[in-house]
Amino acid sequence: MIPDWRRFLVARGARFESEDRVRFDAADTGGDAPDPGVLFDLSHLGLIAASGADAETFLQGQLTNDIRALSATHTQLSSHCSPKGRMLASFRVLRIGDAICLQLPRERLPETLKRLRMFVLRSRVALEDASDRWVRIGVAGHAVPERLAELGLRVPERDNAVVETDGASVLQLPGPLPRFELIGGVERLGAVWDGLSPVCHLGGQDGWALLDIRAGLPTVYTATSDAFVPQMANMQLIDGVSFTKGCYTGQEVVARMQYLGRLKRRMYLAEVASPVPPSPGDELQAPGSSSGQGAGLVVDARPVGDDRYELLAVVEIEAAERGEVRLGDRGPILTLKAPPYGFPAEPTEAGESRQT
């Protein structure tokens, strides 16, 4: 974390669990975010910065989305896959100054950075850990656009868009609740923080991840690295995969799944009551599962009350439709539903289509 930002937060009542995590006594992680909003420090997220004459070309050959569609006003979701087409890391990709930045959990940054550097060869691109170069904060709530405007910040008008005002970039994130990420220097975002904190609740990492869960946005952690083809995690439904961009690592497998295969697993929103907190990578089971690998895996899970959790889970479609998908062999049953963007219609035997 940027030392000046650490001191800024400490002076305003933050207490540290570790070098990279900030936790607030007033954290609000359950229920819908109340007006006028919830304010988050996002230092738990890392940034990989790619710069140099070949940065765009290099990333075009490594990530699932079309980097050419990135601009100063548009961000995108993407992932980096193994040659077998399974996601090793997932990102929000954005331009900051002259760099193309990949935002991901800090726990995934060292391994991802090391792997990407293996492919640089003679490309004129520099890859570095830029997590402490810029401050990032998040804010969510129905009154947030008005609050940001009161602080002199322009607000994007669509999901995944970004606008810059006097050194502060504001990104609009998808989801059922208005939510924004702000990026800038310590002094600029410190002033924004001071303007928002008197009227906002302070939220922690669980609260921010919960908003990703409710938006149906998957995050790849170490426990789930190399577990999912992008389509299993709905990446094609949230504009996280381009099927027209050309070659990239794992592209043949991803394309074959899209055009020649039959998707047998996809990602659902879920709720569960459990005395044991579910975690990314936990196995799911279901009666009659056709897979020797279990009925699915937890993508992410966060608490919403005493022994209650909301989660994203990649589940066999047939098992989900039959019901009785459980945490582990004899654990509690998950209540599954489609993410907010829904699932595409599937053809029926009569040649018509139905929404699933």
Side-chain angles (χ1 to χ4, degrees), residues 103-284:
Q103 183 170 263
L104 72 169
R106 281 202 189 226
E107 70 170 62
R108 293 298 304 145
L109 191 148
E111 183 178 339
T112 304
L113 182 58
K114 179 180 178 181
R115 180 175 176 81
L116 287 173
R117 283 173 171 167
M118 291 170 52
F119 295 96
V120 169
L121 301 178
R122 297 184 179 181
S123 296
R124 294 170 296 173
V125 57
L127 301 172
E128 57 183 324
D129 181 351
S131 305
D132 294 339
R133 190 182 302 178
W134 296 283
V135 172
R136 283 151 293 138
I137 63 177
V139 60
H142 294 289
V144 165
E146 179 181 348
R147 294 296 183 187
L148 294 176
E150 290 173 354
L151 294 173
L153 295 169
R154 292 187 298 151
V155 178
E157 297 181 354
R158 63 186 184 280
D159 290 345
N160 300 315
V162 56
V163 295
E164 190 268 341
T165 307
D166 299 331
S169 295
V170 180
L171 288 69
Q172 181 166 314
L173 305 181
L177 188 70
R179 183 165 61 128
F180 302 88
E181 179 178 344
L182 283 69
I183 302 173
V186 174
E187 183 176 349
R188 184 69 174 96
L189 289 199
V192 174
W193 184 280
D194 283 341
L196 292 173
S197 57
V199 295
C200 289
H201 295 268
L202 296 179
Q205 295 179 40
D206 280 347
W208 189 254
L210 179 61
L211 294 176
D212 276 339
I213 289 171
R214 290 177 174 175
L217 304 180
T219 299
V220 173
Y221 297 101
T222 299
T224 54
S225 179
D226 207 19
F228 309 125
V229 173
Q231 291 96 321
M232 294 180 186
N234 300 351
M235 289 292 284
Q236 80 283 14
L237 303 181
I238 54 176
D239 194 25
V241 183
S242 169
F243 297 105
T244 60
K245 60 171 286 184
C247 295
Y248 57 89
T249 303
Q251 181 262 342
E252 289 186 5
V253 176
V254 177
R256 187 163 61 246
M257 170 68 74
Q258 188 70 15
Y259 296 116
L260 301 176
R262 177 173 175 263
L263 187 64
K264 297 181 179 180
R265 296 174 183 241
R266 62 188 177 194
M267 191 175 68
Y268 294 81
L269 275 174
E271 295 185 28
V272 69
S274 173
V276 179
S279 300
D282 284 356
E283 291 189 1
L284 307 176

